[in-house]
Amino acid sequence: MANVVFKLSESEIQQLLTQINAETKHLPAGSRARAKYQGTTINIYNSKKVMFQGKQAETVANQLLGKTTPTNTTQNKSTRTKNKKASNHPSDYPFNTAHCIGSDEAGSGDYFGPLTVCAVYVSKKHVEVLKTLGVDDSKKLTDEKIVELAEQLVTFLPHSLQVMNNEKYNQQKQLGWSQVKMKAVLHNQAIRNVVDRIEAQNEPLDYIVIDQFAVRGVYQNYALSPMPYPDKTCFETKGESKSLAIAAASIISRYAFVKHMEHMGKKVNQTIPKGASRKVDLFAAGLIEKFGTDTLDSMSKADFKNRDKALNLYRKKH
């Protein structure tokens, strides 16, 4: 199935909507409209990008838009080779000339909020689409951009998202689980879920790439369940910069983390700071004063040193 993406003006979108019978309600966040037209799925996003999916995607796009060059036009081989030497974009690495599952996590270094892990399948046909949408290392992106991208990616990329909330995290810590073990279990489960999904759809798979947080032996020991296709599995440091599949997984896992933080913030009517800085300590001390340590622990990772620092700040004040 082909995928092509166009960045349209508002007037072009309005013109397109007059030609298709589009659904505009009960859509995923980030989606503005969706339609089926002559066997092609058309997704219109709030970002004003429009994706055509189907065997006749380019033909239908040309028919409806009068455009022959999508935003994600594939470069010729000589141009790709030239850019590969000059660019560090993840799409320039070998994993992105193959069918690949990537996995990454978010929240592991944040005192507040859950641990989120995502695995994503990116086929060869998705690579240029992801480049067009602006998929990159999530550490280089603002939260606003991450939300925008994730809400588009989840509409067409096979993926599995695993979330360990703070209550579960603290329970596992009390049972003696390290954070590395938690991540290994969540990564492996997410990957297994995606493998099951793409096998059911007879999709090819060349690589499984994990953003490395442990060496292979440690990962295998902690994962609790067998690794799917260990011979196809690679562990890569700074994986977001080497694999579009990891970059996409990083964006979706970060999106889930951001959304959970927003939800928790509404409960206490405050914006919860990310990370594990002095600012976080002060915020945590304020939560203790207003709501008590039980509320603090329900929103945070109790094994972090921030907890003791916050308690000390609270006691000094009283």
PDB file of all heavy atoms in Angstrom, residues 103-106 114-119 160-165 168-169 177 179-193 213 219 222-224:
ATOM      1  N   SER A 103      11.795   0.257  19.407  1.00  0.00           N
ATOM      2  CA  SER A 103      11.153   0.493  20.705  1.00  0.00           C
ATOM      3  C   SER A 103      11.968   1.483  21.527  1.00  0.00           C
ATOM      4  O   SER A 103      13.192   1.534  21.445  1.00  0.00           O
ATOM      5  CB  SER A 103      10.967  -0.817  21.483  1.00  0.00           C
ATOM      6  OG  SER A 103      12.205  -1.361  21.889  1.00  0.00           O
ATOM      7  N   ASP A 104      11.259   2.265  22.313  1.00  0.00           N
ATOM      8  CA  ASP A 104      11.889   3.269  23.168  1.00  0.00           C
ATOM      9  C   ASP A 104      10.948   3.575  24.324  1.00  0.00           C
ATOM     10  O   ASP A 104       9.780   3.178  24.309  1.00  0.00           O
ATOM     11  CB  ASP A 104      12.203   4.535  22.378  1.00  0.00           C
ATOM     12  CG  ASP A 104      13.288   5.385  23.046  1.00  0.00           C
ATOM     13  OD1 ASP A 104      13.806   4.984  24.104  1.00  0.00           O
ATOM     14  OD2 ASP A 104      13.619   6.459  22.497  1.00  0.00           O
ATOM     15  N   GLU A 105      11.475   4.294  25.330  1.00  0.00           N
ATOM     16  CA  GLU A 105      10.668   4.602  26.505  1.00  0.00           C
ATOM     17  C   GLU A 105      10.782   6.072  26.862  1.00  0.00           C
ATOM     18  O   GLU A 105      11.660   6.791  26.373  1.00  0.00           O
ATOM     19  CB  GLU A 105      11.071   3.745  27.705  1.00  0.00           C
ATOM     20  CG  GLU A 105      12.325   4.182  28.436  1.00  0.00           C
ATOM     21  CD  GLU A 105      13.614   3.741  27.777  1.00  0.00           C
ATOM     22  OE1 GLU A 105      13.589   2.770  26.992  1.00  0.00           O
ATOM     23  OE2 GLU A 105      14.651   4.376  28.040  1.00  0.00           O
ATOM     24  N   ALA A 106       9.889   6.510  27.729  1.00  0.00           N
ATOM     25  CA  ALA A 106       9.915   7.868  28.266  1.00  0.00           C
ATOM     26  C   ALA A 106       9.554   7.813  29.741  1.00  0.00           C
ATOM     27  O   ALA A 106       8.903   6.877  30.198  1.00  0.00           O
ATOM     28  CB  ALA A 106       8.937   8.766  27.510  1.00  0.00           C
ATOM     29  N   PRO A 114       4.481   8.406  34.893  1.00  0.00           N
ATOM     30  CA  PRO A 114       4.648   6.972  34.676  1.00  0.00           C
ATOM     31  C   PRO A 114       5.886   6.647  33.850  1.00  0.00           C
ATOM     32  O   PRO A 114       6.597   7.547  33.371  1.00  0.00           O
ATOM     33  CB  PRO A 114       3.380   6.612  33.894  1.00  0.00           C
ATOM     34  CG  PRO A 114       3.121   7.841  33.065  1.00  0.00           C
ATOM     35  CD  PRO A 114       3.493   8.988  33.959  1.00  0.00           C
ATOM     36  N   LEU A 115       6.126   5.367  33.695  1.00  0.00           N
ATOM     37  CA  LEU A 115       7.116   4.853  32.758  1.00  0.00           C
ATOM     38  C   LEU A 115       6.348   4.369  31.537  1.00  0.00           C
ATOM     39  O   LEU A 115       5.461   3.523  31.654  1.00  0.00           O
ATOM     40  CB  LEU A 115       7.894   3.709  33.392  1.00  0.00           C
ATOM     41  CG  LEU A 115       8.989   3.033  32.562  1.00  0.00           C
ATOM     42  CD1 LEU A 115      10.064   4.025  32.172  1.00  0.00           C
ATOM     43  CD2 LEU A 115       9.603   1.874  33.357  1.00  0.00           C
ATOM     44  N   THR A 116       6.635   4.945  30.380  1.00  0.00           N
ATOM     45  CA  THR A 116       5.911   4.578  29.166  1.00  0.00           C
ATOM     46  C   THR A 116       6.877   3.981  28.149  1.00  0.00           C
ATOM     47  O   THR A 116       7.974   4.504  27.952  1.00  0.00           O
ATOM     48  CB  THR A 116       5.201   5.800  28.541  1.00  0.00           C
ATOM     49  OG1 THR A 116       6.175   6.802  28.213  1.00  0.00           O
ATOM     50  CG2 THR A 116       4.189   6.389  29.506  1.00  0.00           C
ATOM     51  N   VAL A 117       6.453   2.898  27.508  1.00  0.00           N
ATOM     52  CA  VAL A 117       7.279   2.215  26.508  1.00  0.00           C
ATOM     53  C   VAL A 117       6.433   1.973  25.267  1.00  0.00           C
ATOM     54  O   VAL A 117       5.271   1.564  25.371  1.00  0.00           O
ATOM     55  CB  VAL A 117       7.818   0.869  27.044  1.00  0.00           C
ATOM     56  CG1 VAL A 117       8.527   0.093  25.936  1.00  0.00           C
ATOM     57  CG2 VAL A 117       8.763   1.094  28.220  1.00  0.00           C
ATOM     58  N   CYS A 118       7.014   2.207  24.102  1.00  0.00           N
ATOM     59  CA  CYS A 118       6.287   1.979  22.856  1.00  0.00           C
ATOM     60  C   CYS A 118       7.172   1.232  21.863  1.00  0.00           C
ATOM     61  O   CYS A 118       8.379   1.480  21.779  1.00  0.00           O
ATOM     62  CB  CYS A 118       5.848   3.312  22.242  1.00  0.00           C
ATOM     63  SG  CYS A 118       4.793   3.116  20.780  1.00  0.00           S
ATOM     64  N   ALA A 119       6.565   0.302  21.133  1.00  0.00           N
ATOM     65  CA  ALA A 119       7.206  -0.360  20.003  1.00  0.00           C
ATOM     66  C   ALA A 119       6.403  -0.017  18.759  1.00  0.00           C
ATOM     67  O   ALA A 119       5.165   0.010  18.796  1.00  0.00           O
ATOM     68  CB  ALA A 119       7.259  -1.871  20.203  1.00  0.00           C
ATOM     69  N   SER A 160       2.475  -0.653  19.764  1.00  0.00           N
ATOM     70  CA  SER A 160       1.958  -1.097  21.060  1.00  0.00           C
ATOM     71  C   SER A 160       2.540  -0.183  22.124  1.00  0.00           C
ATOM     72  O   SER A 160       3.759   0.018  22.185  1.00  0.00           O
ATOM     73  CB  SER A 160       2.366  -2.545  21.343  1.00  0.00           C
ATOM     74  OG  SER A 160       1.989  -2.930  22.664  1.00  0.00           O
ATOM     75  N   LEU A 161       1.673   0.375  22.951  1.00  0.00           N
ATOM     76  CA  LEU A 161       2.083   1.280  24.021  1.00  0.00           C
ATOM     77  C   LEU A 161       1.851   0.613  25.370  1.00  0.00           C
ATOM     78  O   LEU A 161       0.751   0.137  25.652  1.00  0.00           O
ATOM     79  CB  LEU A 161       1.297   2.583  23.935  1.00  0.00           C
ATOM     80  CG  LEU A 161       1.561   3.622  25.030  1.00  0.00           C
ATOM     81  CD1 LEU A 161       2.984   4.143  24.952  1.00  0.00           C
ATOM     82  CD2 LEU A 161       0.556   4.772  24.914  1.00  0.00           C
ATOM     83  N   GLN A 162       2.888   0.573  26.195  1.00  0.00           N
ATOM     84  CA  GLN A 162       2.805   0.010  27.531  1.00  0.00           C
ATOM     85  C   GLN A 162       3.045   1.123  28.551  1.00  0.00           C
ATOM     86  O   GLN A 162       4.023   1.869  28.430  1.00  0.00           O
ATOM     87  CB  GLN A 162       3.860  -1.084  27.722  1.00  0.00           C
ATOM     88  CG  GLN A 162       3.788  -2.215  26.703  1.00  0.00           C
ATOM     89  CD  GLN A 162       2.564  -3.083  26.894  1.00  0.00           C
ATOM     90  OE1 GLN A 162       2.308  -3.586  27.994  1.00  0.00           O
ATOM     91  NE2 GLN A 162       1.804  -3.262  25.826  1.00  0.00           N
ATOM     92  N   VAL A 163       2.156   1.236  29.525  1.00  0.00           N
ATOM     93  CA  VAL A 163       2.279   2.284  30.538  1.00  0.00           C
ATOM     94  C   VAL A 163       2.308   1.654  31.923  1.00  0.00           C
ATOM     95  O   VAL A 163       1.390   0.908  32.292  1.00  0.00           O
ATOM     96  CB  VAL A 163       1.113   3.294  30.451  1.00  0.00           C
ATOM     97  CG1 VAL A 163       1.240   4.347  31.549  1.00  0.00           C
ATOM     98  CG2 VAL A 163       1.076   3.954  29.081  1.00  0.00           C
ATOM     99  N   MET A 164       3.371   1.926  32.684  1.00  0.00           N
ATOM    100  CA  MET A 164       3.434   1.501  34.082  1.00  0.00           C
ATOM    101  C   MET A 164       3.216   2.741  34.944  1.00  0.00           C
ATOM    102  O   MET A 164       4.089   3.620  35.026  1.00  0.00           O
ATOM    103  CB  MET A 164       4.786   0.854  34.407  1.00  0.00           C
ATOM    104  CG  MET A 164       4.899   0.399  35.854  1.00  0.00           C
ATOM    105  SD  MET A 164       6.451  -0.463  36.234  1.00  0.00           S
ATOM    106  CE  MET A 164       6.111  -2.088  35.541  1.00  0.00           C
ATOM    107  N   ASN A 165       2.034   2.821  35.571  1.00  0.00           N
ATOM    108  CA  ASN A 165       1.744   4.003  36.378  1.00  0.00           C
ATOM    109  C   ASN A 165       2.565   3.992  37.662  1.00  0.00           C
ATOM    110  O   ASN A 165       3.246   3.016  37.987  1.00  0.00           O
ATOM    111  CB  ASN A 165       0.241   4.121  36.668  1.00  0.00           C
ATOM    112  CG  ASN A 165      -0.296   2.948  37.481  1.00  0.00           C
ATOM    113  OD1 ASN A 165       0.410   2.334  38.277  1.00  0.00           O
ATOM    114  ND2 ASN A 165      -1.564   2.631  37.289  1.00  0.00           N
ATOM    115  N   LYS A 168       1.955   1.114  40.279  1.00  0.00           N
ATOM    116  CA  LYS A 168       2.546  -0.153  39.873  1.00  0.00           C
ATOM    117  C   LYS A 168       4.064  -0.094  39.951  1.00  0.00           C
ATOM    118  O   LYS A 168       4.721  -1.051  40.393  1.00  0.00           O
ATOM    119  CB  LYS A 168       2.105  -0.489  38.451  1.00  0.00           C
ATOM    120  CG  LYS A 168       2.604  -1.830  37.938  1.00  0.00           C
ATOM    121  CD  LYS A 168       1.973  -2.984  38.686  1.00  0.00           C
ATOM    122  CE  LYS A 168       2.340  -4.322  38.064  1.00  0.00           C
ATOM    123  NZ  LYS A 168       1.760  -5.474  38.783  1.00  0.00           N
ATOM    124  N   TYR A 169       4.634   1.023  39.524  1.00  0.00           N
ATOM    125  CA  TYR A 169       6.096   1.200  39.582  1.00  0.00           C
ATOM    126  C   TYR A 169       6.593   1.020  41.011  1.00  0.00           C
ATOM    127  O   TYR A 169       7.553   0.282  41.273  1.00  0.00           O
ATOM    128  CB  TYR A 169       6.449   2.592  39.062  1.00  0.00           C
ATOM    129  CG  TYR A 169       7.923   2.935  39.117  1.00  0.00           C
ATOM    130  CD1 TYR A 169       8.727   2.807  37.992  1.00  0.00           C
ATOM    131  CD2 TYR A 169       8.508   3.416  40.295  1.00  0.00           C
ATOM    132  CE1 TYR A 169      10.077   3.130  38.033  1.00  0.00           C
ATOM    133  CE2 TYR A 169       9.849   3.738  40.352  1.00  0.00           C
ATOM    134  CZ  TYR A 169      10.630   3.592  39.218  1.00  0.00           C
ATOM    135  OH  TYR A 169      11.977   3.906  39.269  1.00  0.00           O
ATOM    136  N   TRP A 177      12.308  -5.143  42.037  1.00  0.00           N
ATOM    137  CA  TRP A 177      12.576  -4.909  40.618  1.00  0.00           C
ATOM    138  C   TRP A 177      13.386  -3.629  40.447  1.00  0.00           C
ATOM    139  O   TRP A 177      13.069  -2.590  41.034  1.00  0.00           O
ATOM    140  CB  TRP A 177      11.275  -4.757  39.838  1.00  0.00           C
ATOM    141  CG  TRP A 177      10.533  -6.026  39.580  1.00  0.00           C
ATOM    142  CD1 TRP A 177      10.443  -7.111  40.406  1.00  0.00           C
ATOM    143  CD2 TRP A 177       9.747  -6.333  38.427  1.00  0.00           C
ATOM    144  NE1 TRP A 177       9.653  -8.077  39.843  1.00  0.00           N
ATOM    145  CE2 TRP A 177       9.218  -7.633  38.625  1.00  0.00           C
ATOM    146  CE3 TRP A 177       9.450  -5.652  37.264  1.00  0.00           C
ATOM    147  CZ2 TRP A 177       8.404  -8.248  37.688  1.00  0.00           C
ATOM    148  CZ3 TRP A 177       8.632  -6.251  36.315  1.00  0.00           C
ATOM    149  CH2 TRP A 177       8.116  -7.554  36.533  1.00  0.00           C
ATOM    150  N   GLN A 179      14.701  -0.567  37.816  1.00  0.00           N
ATOM    151  CA  GLN A 179      14.062   0.099  36.690  1.00  0.00           C
ATOM    152  C   GLN A 179      14.452  -0.571  35.373  1.00  0.00           C
ATOM    153  O   GLN A 179      13.646  -0.633  34.430  1.00  0.00           O
ATOM    154  CB  GLN A 179      14.439   1.584  36.656  1.00  0.00           C
ATOM    155  CG  GLN A 179      13.528   2.395  35.757  1.00  0.00           C
ATOM    156  CD  GLN A 179      13.901   3.853  35.674  1.00  0.00           C
ATOM    157  OE1 GLN A 179      14.678   4.246  34.818  1.00  0.00           O
ATOM    158  NE2 GLN A 179      13.338   4.659  36.573  1.00  0.00           N
ATOM    159  N   VAL A 180      15.660  -1.107  35.293  1.00  0.00           N
ATOM    160  CA  VAL A 180      16.095  -1.811  34.083  1.00  0.00           C
ATOM    161  C   VAL A 180      15.201  -3.028  33.829  1.00  0.00           C
ATOM    162  O   VAL A 180      14.804  -3.295  32.695  1.00  0.00           O
ATOM    163  CB  VAL A 180      17.568  -2.233  34.197  1.00  0.00           C
ATOM    164  CG1 VAL A 180      17.955  -3.144  33.031  1.00  0.00           C
ATOM    165  CG2 VAL A 180      18.476  -1.016  34.220  1.00  0.00           C
ATOM    166  N   LYS A 181      14.862  -3.754  34.891  1.00  0.00           N
ATOM    167  CA  LYS A 181      13.978  -4.907  34.721  1.00  0.00           C
ATOM    168  C   LYS A 181      12.596  -4.465  34.242  1.00  0.00           C
ATOM    169  O   LYS A 181      12.005  -5.101  33.349  1.00  0.00           O
ATOM    170  CB  LYS A 181      13.847  -5.694  36.023  1.00  0.00           C
ATOM    171  CG  LYS A 181      12.971  -6.937  35.879  1.00  0.00           C
ATOM    172  CD  LYS A 181      13.040  -7.827  37.110  1.00  0.00           C
ATOM    173  CE  LYS A 181      12.219  -9.105  36.899  1.00  0.00           C
ATOM    174  NZ  LYS A 181      12.340 -10.037  38.027  1.00  0.00           N
ATOM    175  N   MET A 182      12.073  -3.401  34.834  1.00  0.00           N
ATOM    176  CA  MET A 182      10.763  -2.909  34.401  1.00  0.00           C
ATOM    177  C   MET A 182      10.782  -2.572  32.914  1.00  0.00           C
ATOM    178  O   MET A 182       9.865  -2.938  32.164  1.00  0.00           O
ATOM    179  CB  MET A 182      10.376  -1.659  35.202  1.00  0.00           C
ATOM    180  CG  MET A 182      10.171  -1.891  36.685  1.00  0.00           C
ATOM    181  SD  MET A 182       9.718  -0.331  37.490  1.00  0.00           S
ATOM    182  CE  MET A 182      10.218  -0.673  39.185  1.00  0.00           C
ATOM    183  N   LYS A 183      11.823  -1.868  32.497  1.00  0.00           N
ATOM    184  CA  LYS A 183      11.906  -1.477  31.089  1.00  0.00           C
ATOM    185  C   LYS A 183      12.036  -2.694  30.183  1.00  0.00           C
ATOM    186  O   LYS A 183      11.420  -2.747  29.110  1.00  0.00           O
ATOM    187  CB  LYS A 183      13.071  -0.510  30.881  1.00  0.00           C
ATOM    188  CG  LYS A 183      12.813   0.861  31.477  1.00  0.00           C
ATOM    189  CD  LYS A 183      13.766   1.916  30.967  1.00  0.00           C
ATOM    190  CE  LYS A 183      15.104   1.850  31.618  1.00  0.00           C
ATOM    191  NZ  LYS A 183      15.962   3.017  31.273  1.00  0.00           N
ATOM    192  N   ALA A 184      12.819  -3.681  30.597  1.00  0.00           N
ATOM    193  CA  ALA A 184      12.982  -4.887  29.773  1.00  0.00           C
ATOM    194  C   ALA A 184      11.653  -5.602  29.590  1.00  0.00           C
ATOM    195  O   ALA A 184      11.310  -6.040  28.486  1.00  0.00           O
ATOM    196  CB  ALA A 184      14.007  -5.823  30.421  1.00  0.00           C
ATOM    197  N   VAL A 185      10.882  -5.711  30.662  1.00  0.00           N
ATOM    198  CA  VAL A 185       9.581  -6.384  30.591  1.00  0.00           C
ATOM    199  C   VAL A 185       8.639  -5.617  29.673  1.00  0.00           C
ATOM    200  O   VAL A 185       7.956  -6.208  28.818  1.00  0.00           O
ATOM    201  CB  VAL A 185       8.969  -6.538  32.000  1.00  0.00           C
ATOM    202  CG1 VAL A 185       7.528  -7.011  31.927  1.00  0.00           C
ATOM    203  CG2 VAL A 185       9.796  -7.514  32.841  1.00  0.00           C
ATOM    204  N   LEU A 186       8.592  -4.299  29.835  1.00  0.00           N
ATOM    205  CA  LEU A 186       7.672  -3.486  29.035  1.00  0.00           C
ATOM    206  C   LEU A 186       8.089  -3.465  27.564  1.00  0.00           C
ATOM    207  O   LEU A 186       7.239  -3.571  26.668  1.00  0.00           O
ATOM    208  CB  LEU A 186       7.613  -2.072  29.591  1.00  0.00           C
ATOM    209  CG  LEU A 186       7.018  -1.923  30.996  1.00  0.00           C
ATOM    210  CD1 LEU A 186       7.117  -0.474  31.470  1.00  0.00           C
ATOM    211  CD2 LEU A 186       5.569  -2.384  31.048  1.00  0.00           C
ATOM    212  N   HIS A 187       9.384  -3.312  27.303  1.00  0.00           N
ATOM    213  CA  HIS A 187       9.863  -3.322  25.913  1.00  0.00           C
ATOM    214  C   HIS A 187       9.524  -4.650  25.240  1.00  0.00           C
ATOM    215  O   HIS A 187       9.014  -4.677  24.115  1.00  0.00           O
ATOM    216  CB  HIS A 187      11.378  -3.118  25.876  1.00  0.00           C
ATOM    217  CG  HIS A 187      11.809  -1.681  25.865  1.00  0.00           C
ATOM    218  ND1 HIS A 187      12.123  -1.004  24.721  1.00  0.00           N
ATOM    219  CD2 HIS A 187      11.983  -0.798  26.877  1.00  0.00           C
ATOM    220  CE1 HIS A 187      12.480   0.238  25.020  1.00  0.00           C
ATOM    221  NE2 HIS A 187      12.405   0.382  26.323  1.00  0.00           N
ATOM    222  N   ASN A 188       9.824  -5.739  25.929  1.00  0.00           N
ATOM    223  CA  ASN A 188       9.622  -7.048  25.311  1.00  0.00           C
ATOM    224  C   ASN A 188       8.146  -7.311  25.031  1.00  0.00           C
ATOM    225  O   ASN A 188       7.790  -7.865  23.985  1.00  0.00           O
ATOM    226  CB  ASN A 188      10.194  -8.151  26.197  1.00  0.00           C
ATOM    227  CG  ASN A 188      10.713  -9.320  25.386  1.00  0.00           C
ATOM    228  OD1 ASN A 188      11.487  -9.132  24.445  1.00  0.00           O
ATOM    229  ND2 ASN A 188      10.298 -10.534  25.735  1.00  0.00           N
ATOM    230  N   GLN A 189       7.277  -6.886  25.956  1.00  0.00           N
ATOM    231  CA  GLN A 189       5.843  -7.080  25.741  1.00  0.00           C
ATOM    232  C   GLN A 189       5.345  -6.241  24.578  1.00  0.00           C
ATOM    233  O   GLN A 189       4.555  -6.707  23.745  1.00  0.00           O
ATOM    234  CB  GLN A 189       5.057  -6.729  27.006  1.00  0.00           C
ATOM    235  CG  GLN A 189       3.563  -7.045  26.910  1.00  0.00           C
ATOM    236  CD  GLN A 189       3.314  -8.510  26.609  1.00  0.00           C
ATOM    237  OE1 GLN A 189       3.743  -9.390  27.350  1.00  0.00           O
ATOM    238  NE2 GLN A 189       2.622  -8.806  25.516  1.00  0.00           N
ATOM    239  N   ALA A 190       5.799  -4.996  24.506  1.00  0.00           N
ATOM    240  CA  ALA A 190       5.379  -4.127  23.400  1.00  0.00           C
ATOM    241  C   ALA A 190       5.838  -4.698  22.063  1.00  0.00           C
ATOM    242  O   ALA A 190       5.068  -4.724  21.089  1.00  0.00           O
ATOM    243  CB  ALA A 190       5.941  -2.719  23.605  1.00  0.00           C
ATOM    244  N   ILE A 191       7.077  -5.177  22.013  1.00  0.00           N
ATOM    245  CA  ILE A 191       7.610  -5.747  20.774  1.00  0.00           C
ATOM    246  C   ILE A 191       6.831  -6.996  20.384  1.00  0.00           C
ATOM    247  O   ILE A 191       6.466  -7.179  19.216  1.00  0.00           O
ATOM    248  CB  ILE A 191       9.113  -6.053  20.930  1.00  0.00           C
ATOM    249  CG1 ILE A 191       9.903  -4.752  21.027  1.00  0.00           C
ATOM    250  CG2 ILE A 191       9.616  -6.892  19.756  1.00  0.00           C
ATOM    251  CD1 ILE A 191      11.340  -4.936  21.473  1.00  0.00           C
ATOM    252  N   ARG A 192       6.550  -7.853  21.348  1.00  0.00           N
ATOM    253  CA  ARG A 192       5.792  -9.083  21.066  1.00  0.00           C
ATOM    254  C   ARG A 192       4.408  -8.735  20.506  1.00  0.00           C
ATOM    255  O   ARG A 192       3.918  -9.391  19.583  1.00  0.00           O
ATOM    256  CB  ARG A 192       5.666  -9.928  22.330  1.00  0.00           C
ATOM    257  CG  ARG A 192       6.971 -10.586  22.773  1.00  0.00           C
ATOM    258  CD  ARG A 192       6.820 -11.256  24.133  1.00  0.00           C
ATOM    259  NE  ARG A 192       5.881 -12.378  24.051  1.00  0.00           N
ATOM    260  CZ  ARG A 192       6.248 -13.622  23.739  1.00  0.00           C
ATOM    261  NH1 ARG A 192       7.505 -13.911  23.469  1.00  0.00           N
ATOM    262  NH2 ARG A 192       5.354 -14.584  23.711  1.00  0.00           N
ATOM    263  N   ASN A 193       3.780  -7.716  21.064  1.00  0.00           N
ATOM    264  CA  ASN A 193       2.458  -7.304  20.582  1.00  0.00           C
ATOM    265  C   ASN A 193       2.506  -6.857  19.126  1.00  0.00           C
ATOM    266  O   ASN A 193       1.622  -7.199  18.329  1.00  0.00           O
ATOM    267  CB  ASN A 193       1.904  -6.169  21.446  1.00  0.00           C
ATOM    268  CG  ASN A 193       1.527  -6.614  22.848  1.00  0.00           C
ATOM    269  OD1 ASN A 193       1.439  -7.808  23.132  1.00  0.00           O
ATOM    270  ND2 ASN A 193       1.324  -5.662  23.731  1.00  0.00           N
ATOM    271  N   PHE A 213      19.256   0.316  26.742  1.00  0.00           N
ATOM    272  CA  PHE A 213      19.318   0.701  28.139  1.00  0.00           C
ATOM    273  C   PHE A 213      19.995  -0.403  28.956  1.00  0.00           C
ATOM    274  O   PHE A 213      20.237  -0.241  30.144  1.00  0.00           O
ATOM    275  CB  PHE A 213      17.912   0.965  28.699  1.00  0.00           C
ATOM    276  CG  PHE A 213      16.967  -0.200  28.549  1.00  0.00           C
ATOM    277  CD1 PHE A 213      16.889  -1.177  29.524  1.00  0.00           C
ATOM    278  CD2 PHE A 213      16.177  -0.327  27.416  1.00  0.00           C
ATOM    279  CE1 PHE A 213      16.026  -2.257  29.386  1.00  0.00           C
ATOM    280  CE2 PHE A 213      15.314  -1.400  27.264  1.00  0.00           C
ATOM    281  CZ  PHE A 213      15.239  -2.372  28.255  1.00  0.00           C
ATOM    282  N   TYR A 219      19.126  -7.784  29.313  1.00  0.00           N
ATOM    283  CA  TYR A 219      17.767  -7.653  28.780  1.00  0.00           C
ATOM    284  C   TYR A 219      17.070  -9.019  28.741  1.00  0.00           C
ATOM    285  O   TYR A 219      15.935  -9.164  29.203  1.00  0.00           O
ATOM    286  CB  TYR A 219      17.827  -7.049  27.377  1.00  0.00           C
ATOM    287  CG  TYR A 219      16.476  -6.878  26.709  1.00  0.00           C
ATOM    288  CD1 TYR A 219      15.806  -5.661  26.761  1.00  0.00           C
ATOM    289  CD2 TYR A 219      15.870  -7.928  26.015  1.00  0.00           C
ATOM    290  CE1 TYR A 219      14.573  -5.495  26.140  1.00  0.00           C
ATOM    291  CE2 TYR A 219      14.635  -7.771  25.396  1.00  0.00           C
ATOM    292  CZ  TYR A 219      13.999  -6.552  25.461  1.00  0.00           C
ATOM    293  OH  TYR A 219      12.772  -6.397  24.857  1.00  0.00           O
ATOM    294  N   TYR A 222      16.091 -10.277  32.189  1.00  0.00           N
ATOM    295  CA  TYR A 222      15.029  -9.541  32.870  1.00  0.00           C
ATOM    296  C   TYR A 222      13.676  -9.594  32.167  1.00  0.00           C
ATOM    297  O   TYR A 222      12.645  -9.325  32.777  1.00  0.00           O
ATOM    298  CB  TYR A 222      15.421  -8.068  33.021  1.00  0.00           C
ATOM    299  CG  TYR A 222      16.387  -7.778  34.138  1.00  0.00           C
ATOM    300  CD1 TYR A 222      17.225  -6.662  34.076  1.00  0.00           C
ATOM    301  CD2 TYR A 222      16.466  -8.596  35.268  1.00  0.00           C
ATOM    302  CE1 TYR A 222      18.101  -6.369  35.107  1.00  0.00           C
ATOM    303  CE2 TYR A 222      17.346  -8.317  36.294  1.00  0.00           C
ATOM    304  CZ  TYR A 222      18.162  -7.202  36.210  1.00  0.00           C
ATOM    305  OH  TYR A 222      19.026  -6.917  37.227  1.00  0.00           O
ATOM    306  N   ALA A 223      13.648  -9.910  30.894  1.00  0.00           N
ATOM    307  CA  ALA A 223      12.439  -9.716  30.084  1.00  0.00           C
ATOM    308  C   ALA A 223      11.256 -10.603  30.470  1.00  0.00           C
ATOM    309  O   ALA A 223      10.128 -10.336  30.077  1.00  0.00           O
ATOM    310  CB  ALA A 223      12.760  -9.908  28.605  1.00  0.00           C
ATOM    311  N   LEU A 224      11.489 -11.672  31.214  1.00  0.00           N
ATOM    312  CA  LEU A 224      10.464 -12.613  31.695  1.00  0.00           C
ATOM    313  C   LEU A 224       9.901 -13.515  30.594  1.00  0.00           C
ATOM    314  O   LEU A 224       9.483 -14.641  30.864  1.00  0.00           O
ATOM    315  CB  LEU A 224       9.299 -11.887  32.383  1.00  0.00           C
ATOM    316  CG  LEU A 224       9.632 -11.135  33.683  1.00  0.00           C
ATOM    317  CD1 LEU A 224       8.359 -10.566  34.300  1.00  0.00           C
ATOM    318  CD2 LEU A 224      10.340 -12.029  34.695  1.00  0.00           C
TER     319      LEU A 224
END
